Amino acid sequence: MRIGYLVDTNAGGYDQPLPDRRDASATLGALVDECVLAERAGFHSIQVPDRHGRTESYFGSPLNLLMILARETHRVGIGAYCLVNTLYHPMHVAEQCAIIDNLSRGRLFMTWGRGFHEGYWGQFGVPRERMLGRYLESVRIIEQALLSKGERFSVDGDFYSVRDGLLSPQCYQQPRFPFWGGGQFPVSIERCATYAESWTCDDFPILKEVWESQVGAYRARAESLGKEPFVVLMRNGWVADSFEQAAAEFGTHYVSEMRFYCAQGILAHHPAFDSPEKITAEGAREHIVVGTPAQCRERLEQYHEEYGVQYFTMRFRMVTGPGFEAAREQILRFGEEVVQPLHKKYPAIEHPAIPEACRW
């Protein structure tokens, strides 16, 4: 079992006024500092989301922050969670990732995703038709570029073209850095096994019977392809002296975020969370990692033992908060009292989903 940290590159509240230069500069710096602190606190990786076209979103593409972290961190894995492939030309992604991988000396992994936010596609003028085909073609071209071994190649695809392309430099990791697959619906979850070394599950409430069906199909498909399955689960969390205190400090922010996703129809599959008024911190207790250090460790171990989760992505700060100071305190405490004890208890992961430099 290993535990990574997701830095939320949103800040300040939904639809806030456009940040001025002082706010932008200070917030961008605070986000970098937060990532560096997470490495010091003992987290295994730093993961970065992809966000655009909103006044609360500061870093845009995760490739921007990952490039900085390649130099500002030294031991942790660094990766996107996730990159919305359909927003970018795959050769741009391949070039940037190869540079990040070299600067970090082989600590990069990337989670690929099709995306769901229509505003992102609109911002870049990307047609909304045939998004799955666009996504899969992007992943294929990125992999082709990474495996090209310095030879020029051309692609005449349905969505992208490459004419006499050359990826230089090549990746630090050979033959390429690990791919993590993003997907939340049965067919997309199973598909992760074909192009990636893992399946990543988002932070939404889980029904055990649905989970078993989804992860079972993924594992069966991976094994049929001769791959060892690897399951990553994102959770929101907060450690405090009691569950009640943690819920008071973090619960309102979690509830606000989940009600937003509920309004998008993403939680419709879960009868306990199919309407905003049903979503409360107490009601979501089984789906978040909140409480005393012992309660947080117990919850993570439950997911590991009962759900077969091998890797966790933790988030402590959302759009509405808590603030940067509280988040920094939480990173240090969660790292010291939850992450480090579990890392000591469980052996390092030897799996293709983890960069070799980060198998500690």
Side-chain angles (χ1 to χ4, degrees):
M1 179 199 303
R2 287 296 180 265
I3 304 165
Y5 177 68
L6 177 75
V7 56
D8 197 318
T9 53
N10 284 340
Y14 289 112
D15 298 316
Q16 67 177 353
L18 187 69
D20 61 28
R21 63 183 184 180
R22 290 179 294 275
D23 178 9
S25 178
T27 301
L28 291 168
L31 291 169
V32 174
D33 292 344
E34 194 172 287
C35 296
V36 173
L37 185 64
E39 178 179 50
R40 181 154 60 94
F43 286 84
H44 184 264
S45 66
I46 311 299
Q47 300 168 38
V48 185
D50 196 343
R51 299 202 168 123
H52 306 270
R54 304 279 303 179
T55 55
E56 67 271 11
S57 299
Y58 283 78
F59 253 105
S61 169
L63 298 171
N64 293 325
L65 183 49
L66 290 173
M67 190 73 75
I68 296 170
L69 295 181
R71 292 285 289 179
E72 292 293 325
T73 62
H74 307 284
R75 189 169 183 246
V76 291
I78 55 174
Y81 196 104
C82 64
L83 183 92
V84 181
N85 291 64
T86 49
L87 302 180
Y88 308 90
H89 192 286
M91 282 302 293
H92 282 140
V93 175
E95 284 186 343
Q96 292 291 91
C97 286
I99 293 170
I100 294 167
D101 196 39
N102 276 280
L103 283 173
S104 69
R105 301 297 176 94
R107 293 184 285 120
L108 178 69
F109 61 92
M110 291 293 288
T111 308
W112 308 130
R114 185 191 78 103
F116 78 94
H117 199 305
E118 292 190 359
Y120 293 179
W121 297 323
Q123 168 129 337
F124 297 102
V126 177
R128 299 176 186 176
E129 295 77 26
R130 301 176 63 195
M131 277 295 173
L132 176 59
R134 180 181 295 275
Y135 169 63
L136 294 176
E137 186 173 291
S138 168
V139 175
R140 286 195 297 269
I141 294 174
I142 291 170
E143 183 162 44
Q144 184 173 353
L146 298 176
L147 301 180
S148 62
K149 297 182 179 180
E151 297 181 2
R152 294 190 181 274
F153 68 98
S154 297
V155 176
D156 185 15
D158 293 334
F159 306 95
Y160 305 102
S161 64
V162 180
R163 293 187 294 274
D164 204 24
L166 175 68
L167 181 64
S168 177
Q170 295 284 289
C171 286
Y172 190 92
Q173 299 176 73
Q174 291 296 316
R176 61 165 173 77
F177 54 81
F179 289 5
W180 290 13
Q184 306 306 315
F185 299 100
V187 66
S188 60
I189 293 169
E190 184 176 348
R191 189 184 297 119
C192 292
T194 65
Y195 65 83
E197 283 72 65
S198 77
W199 167 51
T200 64
C201 180
D202 279 347
D203 57 328
F204 306 123
I206 294 173
L207 279 173
K208 185 68 180 295
E209 59 270 25
V210 174
W211 171 270
E212 294 296 344
S213 173
Q214 292 175 338
V215 79
Y218 159 71
R219 287 178 174 141
R221 179 59 175 160
E223 290 167 358
S224 74
L225 296 171
K227 296 182 176 182
E228 181 184 352
F230 192 82
V231 177
V232 181
L233 178 63
M234 179 184 170
R235 293 289 89 176
N236 298 292
W238 197 262
V239 65
D241 294 335
S242 67
F243 173 83
E244 291 72 22
Q245 181 184 348
E249 294 174 354
F250 183 74
T252 56
H253 304 292
Y254 172 81
V255 168
S256 175
E257 187 86 349
M258 289 303 107
R259 286 180 175 177
F260 168 81
Y261 284 112
C262 181
Q264 309 301 311
I266 292 175
L267 306 184
H269 71 284
H270 201 305
F273 302 95
D274 59 3
S275 62
E277 63 273 8
K278 292 183 179 180
I279 301 175
T280 66
E282 179 60 39
R285 186 170 186 161
E286 299 299 311
H287 307 285
I288 51 180
V289 183
V290 169
T292 66
Q295 288 173 325
C296 290
R297 293 194 300 268
E298 181 181 0
R299 177 69 65 218
L300 291 170
E301 290 191 284
Q302 178 188 9
Y303 279 121
H304 177 64
E305 294 168 5
E306 297 182 15
Y307 290 73
V309 175
Q310 292 140 293
Y311 203 99
F312 294 93
T313 298
M314 293 301 305
R315 177 173 63 166
F316 307 134
R317 188 176 49 73
M318 301 183 178
V319 180
T320 60
F324 282 114
E325 183 176 353
R328 286 191 290 268
E329 293 174 357
Q330 182 65 197
I331 289 168
L332 289 173
R333 183 172 185 185
F334 200 97
E336 180 179 347
E337 300 182 29
V338 180
V339 173
Q340 293 181 33
L342 290 175
H343 283 180
K344 290 177 182 177
K345 181 176 180 179
Y346 291 91
I349 296 173
E350 294 287 336
H351 190 280
I354 304 298
E356 287 189 18
C358 302
R359 293 178 187 174
W360 49 268

